[in-house]
Amino acid sequence: MLLGAGCSIGGALHRVAQRGSGLIATDLRGVVAQIGQGMSEAAALREWAEATGVDAVARLVAVLDLNRYTSDLGRLLAAETRSLRDEQHRVLTEQLEQRSEQVWIPVTRATLVPGALLPALP
């Protein structure tokens, strides 16, 4: 939202780092500190992405790195976050489907064993 409102990447990072209280805000405080020590924004963000080892962070940093080529970074970030949410939704749906299938295995066994023994009784 900050980038869409015309804020620079450095300003947006600084604001999120100061106002946030989560793990990402803590990481961004380190990024802002590195930028304050003279490291470029792109290099500090890339270093953060490598340190986290999270694919979503690397994708976010890749979009932020496009800042020098485009002025409408807010739209690109919105599209990337939408893509990441859709991907995470697919992963969670797949996990739920696998768990529901695992629930039926004991139920099927509990039904099949007595069903197989019942015809054997005189």
Side-chain angles (χ1 to χ4, degrees):
M1 289 186 332
L2 292 169
L3 294 174
C7 192
S8 69
I9 288 182
L13 290 173
H14 185 72
R15 184 171 173 112
V16 171
Q18 280 190 336
R19 295 186 141 243
S21 60
L23 293 174
I24 292 176
T26 303
D27 286 351
L28 288 180
R29 282 187 208 104
V31 171
V32 169
Q34 288 177 330
I35 293 170
Q37 293 173 355
M39 185 180 275
S40 71
E41 292 170 350
L45 286 168
R46 271 188 249 114
E47 188 174 302
W48 171 51
E50 290 173 10
T52 62
V54 177
D55 183 50
V57 173
R59 288 170 56 180
L60 171 70
V61 168
V63 172
L64 289 174
D65 199 26
L66 296 173
N67 183 46
R68 57 181 174 250
Y69 302 113
T70 183
S71 60
D72 192 15
L73 202 56
R75 185 180 52 81
L76 291 174
L77 281 172
E80 185 63 29
T81 55
R82 194 175 317 113
S83 170
L84 287 169
R85 278 193 305 269
D86 290 344
E87 182 179 317
Q88 188 62 35
H89 183 263
R90 281 190 297 274
V91 168
L92 288 174
T93 303
E94 182 179 314
Q95 288 175 349
L96 286 173
E97 288 175 0
Q98 287 175 352
R99 287 180 185 166
S100 69
E101 289 172 7
Q102 290 174 350
V103 167
W104 284 103
I105 292 171
V107 172
T108 305
R109 285 184 183 159
T111 306
L112 287 177
V113 172
L117 294 176
L118 189 61
L121 295 174

